[in-house]
Structures are given as C-alpha cells and as structure tokens.
Amino acid sequence: MHRFAFVIHPIKPKDAARKYPIAKYMPDWLIEKFYGRKKPFIGSYVKGVESKTGAKTEGLFIICPLTPDMMLHKLPLDAVYEKLIYCSELAKSEGAEIMGLGAFTSVVGDGGVTVAKNSPIAITTGNSYTIATAIQGALKACDIIGVRPESSVLAVVGATGSIGRTCARMLSPHFSRSIVVGRDPERTQAVADECARAEASVDVASIKAADLVITVTSAGADLIFPEHLKPGAIICDVARPRDVSVKVAKERPDVLVIEGGVVAVPGNVDFGMSFGFPPKTAYACMSETMMLALEGKIENFTLGKDVSVEQVEETIRLADKHGFELAGFRSFERAVEEEAFERARTALMGRGLGVGA
C-alpha cells in the first residue's frame, strides 16, 4: 500500500481558534506572527480509502500554518517554500510517498515546482482533477437547467491561471462564444488565442453576457456580485476562498451557484477531521493525491502554471478506475436543492429567447 499526505492551511487568521480557542480574542497580526514561527504539524490521519479495484491507501493531513495573505504578500517566497518543504519531510517521516498541495500552497510561487525539486517524495497540486470535476460539474448543471452549450456563451474568470486556462481551452469548443477574463491584457489575449471563438477581457462585468461562468482566481476576496450576472446563469466557483459574493445567493435566486470539485471518495473513508464537507467527500485536489497513491503512480504529477489536457484526461481515467465521482452539487457550504435548479430553469426560459439564448 502506498501512503499519501495532503497539505491544508488556514484561510484566515481566526481559523486558529478551532485548535486554540484563545485566538478568538487575539488580533490577526498577533495570530499571524504566531503562525510565522510555528512549524507545520500533523492535523489528522486518513483511513479507509479503498478503490473499487481493491487497492487501498491511507495517509495524513498536514497543516501548514500560513494564511493566503501571508503566502502571497507578507512573507518572502523562500520562507513559504521552506515550510512546504518541511511538510514533505514530515510526510516522508510518516511513510507517505506522495504529497498534495492544497488551496494556496498549490499556487504560491511557481506552483509546486521548487517544492518538488527539494522534496524527498513526489508532489502534485491536484489541479488536473480539479479541472476535470469543474468541467464535468458545469456541463452537468447546464444539462439539468437546459442550457445548450452550442448556442450559449461561456465565461472563464481567472483565465490566465493554470486551472482557468485549461478550463477555457477544454470548454470553449462546446460553446458558441467564450469570454476569457484576466487582469493582464496581453496574457489574457494569449489565452483567448488558444480557445475557440473566444475574446479577451480585463473587465469582470463582461461576464454578464455569459450563460455559464467558471471562476477560479486567487483574488482571495469577493469578485463577482449580483449585478454581474445574467438571469438564469450558472456559476461554477472553483476558487478557495470563493470568488462569488454571498450577496449573489441572497439577492439573485434566479442564478445557480455551484462549487467545483466536491468528490465522493471510494471506501469507508475517515478523514479524522471535518473541513465542512459531508462525510466521505473531499476536494478534487485531495482526491487526485489519493487516486495517484491507489494507482501506485508515485511521481510528480501536476506542477507549475500549465496543466495539460492529457493530465486532466488521465485523472478522469483514474477516477473512473478507482471509483471517485462527483458528489452532487454544493453551494455556499450547503447541498443544492431541486428548487434552486427550478428557479434557474424558470429564469432561463423567462428571458423569452429560448433555452441557451
């Protein structure tokens, strides 16, 4: 049996209160100072992952005490790498042979390349299967609502990132027109040039023309608001922290917001901790690490700022082989109820232009 490890981190300083209740009363700057001095540590052990082939794996979650703001803005990159490399050494000491980088640990710096070069075990960011599940979930939602891709508009926000770019390349051939949105005009245009029938934009408001929006930025804050969205639109928010404001859920019941990458893990799995998902479900990036361990594919897999279509297709094949699958739809930490689909479906038809217009 091959063992795995997966790195998680606090999203905001006050998350420290889950382990240290006194943190509720401490200022954020003091918590971050504490984080900066603390070494990564084991959060829990994972047991019971079993493929439908009969292969088994187990592993551990390693908590890297850094917030997104610390990784991206407040600490030198070398200091961040140092903690992530320490995570890999800790993982090896626990018998893990491959380690996944979760959330912002997968995007900071060069996307895992430097960590992999200095790690004693294999590294993956999990982004390949994250892309696969985002695409599968988005197209399934289109089918349920009645959006016909061939006569509809796609928008990808964060299109110059590794996940956004590959989502745009793989989804755009299915749609009549695509809008790729990024902050850098030249890089965004370069992505548009790789996609079918696509135009580049640096204005997030341009997504108002879209029937399906995939959003996956590292903004770390609300980016998409109610006024940005077309009636009956579907939004697949792959970003963590999410890009879609909670105002969308409150003010736009006609819009369907789904989260990308919620996956049912095969076997009687016990993660040893709760990260807000239903039992036996996990993020797609976690699942990629587990399926690579089940497959015995102990090698660096998804790294860097580019994810190839072939890597995405490989994770789809491994998921099918080992029994990983989409676990329904979730939105703002809750399961999506049938009424939400019906409201979006009614809004879509109510535009008076027909489905997908």
Side-chain angles (χ1 to χ4, degrees):
M1 178 171 64
H2 301 283
R3 288 172 57 84
F4 70 91
F6 192 83
V7 180
I8 59 179
H9 65 82
I11 297 299
K12 52 187 184 297
K14 285 292 191 295
D15 287 346
R18 296 177 184 175
K19 184 174 178 62
Y20 309 104
I22 194 174
K24 290 189 291 186
Y25 309 102
M26 296 168 61
D28 286 354
W29 68 266
L30 186 57
I31 297 172
E32 289 189 337
K33 187 174 182 180
F34 168 73
Y35 279 158
R37 294 180 176 179
K38 186 171 179 58
K39 287 186 175 182
F41 57 95
I42 296 170
S44 70
Y45 292 92
V46 183
K47 300 177 180 176
V49 182
E50 182 172 358
S51 163
K52 62 184 183 182
T53 68
K56 298 179 181 179
T57 185
E58 59 186 26
L60 64 154
F61 285 127
I62 296 175
I63 298 176
C64 183
L66 296 175
T67 64
D69 200 27
M70 293 172 74
M71 283 186 265
L72 297 181
H73 306 298
K74 294 183 175 177
L75 291 181
L77 194 52
D78 285 347
V80 178
Y81 286 151
E82 184 179 345
K83 283 195 185 291
L84 295 178
I85 293 164
Y86 178 84
C87 289
S88 69
E89 293 167 348
L90 179 58
K92 181 177 172 58
S93 72
E94 291 288 325
E97 299 168 82
I98 185 168
M99 184 178 83
L101 298 173
F104 275 70
T105 67
S106 70
V107 300
V108 67
D110 54 16
V113 173
T114 295
V115 176
K117 286 179 179 176
N118 295 278
S119 167
I121 61 175
I123 301 293
T124 189
T125 62
N127 284 348
S128 295
Y129 194 47
T130 294
I131 293 169
T133 55
I135 291 173
Q136 291 172 337
L139 291 178
K140 186 175 181 180
C142 286
D143 185 56
I144 292 172
I145 300 302
V147 171
R148 292 196 302 269
E150 67 274 13
S151 57
S152 300
V153 178
L154 165 73
V156 178
V157 182
T160 57
S162 62
I163 294 176
R165 179 187 174 199
T166 307
C167 281
R169 291 173 62 199
M170 294 184 72
L171 275 172
S172 62
H174 299 277
F175 286 78
S176 66
R177 184 165 70 93
S178 297
I179 304 164
V180 295
V181 183
R183 289 181 298 181
D184 183 282
E186 290 186 6
R187 292 177 59 205
T188 307
Q189 184 60 54
V191 175
D193 292 342
E194 296 176 337
C195 299
R197 300 174 292 282
E199 60 193 73
S201 173
V202 293
D203 182 2
V204 73
S206 64
I207 68 173
K208 195 159 188 174
D211 301 280
L212 171 65
V213 179
I214 306 285
T215 184
V216 54
T217 79
S218 56
D222 293 350
L223 189 67
I224 296 176
F225 294 92
E227 62 270 24
H228 292 142
L229 300 165
K230 188 178 187 177
I234 300 167
I235 314 169
C236 181
D237 191 348
V238 188
R240 291 295 177 276
R242 65 170 67 88
D243 289 335
V244 179
S245 168
V246 70
K247 290 183 179 178
V248 174
K250 295 177 179 177
E251 300 175 17
R252 292 295 304 272
D254 60 300
V255 169
L256 177 66
V257 182
I258 59 176
E259 298 170 355
V262 181
V263 176
V265 177
N268 188 25
V269 60
D270 178 4
F271 293 113
M273 68 163 58
S274 172
F275 36 85
F277 280 15
K280 303 178 184 178
T281 62
Y283 287 107
C285 49
M286 295 174 180
S287 300
E288 178 177 310
T289 311
M290 291 182 233
M291 69 175 70
L292 291 171
L294 287 170
E295 181 70 7
K297 196 174 177 68
I298 307 302
E299 59 190 54
N300 295 331
F301 190 71
T302 311
L303 291 177
K305 298 300 184 183
D306 295 312
V307 180
S308 71
V309 172
E310 290 73 21
Q311 286 175 308
V312 176
E313 292 174 341
E314 174 73 356
T315 59
I316 293 172
R317 184 188 71 78
L318 292 177
D320 290 341
K321 176 179 178 179
H322 293 292
F324 293 82
E325 59 185 8
L326 285 175
F329 294 100
R330 290 178 64 79
S331 179
F332 295 99
E333 319 302 339
R334 296 182 178 179
V336 179
E337 298 179 347
E338 177 54 35
E339 289 79 5
F341 293 110
E342 188 57 39
R343 288 194 297 268
R345 192 180 296 120
T346 300
L348 186 67
M349 298 303 293
R351 295 204 308 241
L353 299 173
V355 174

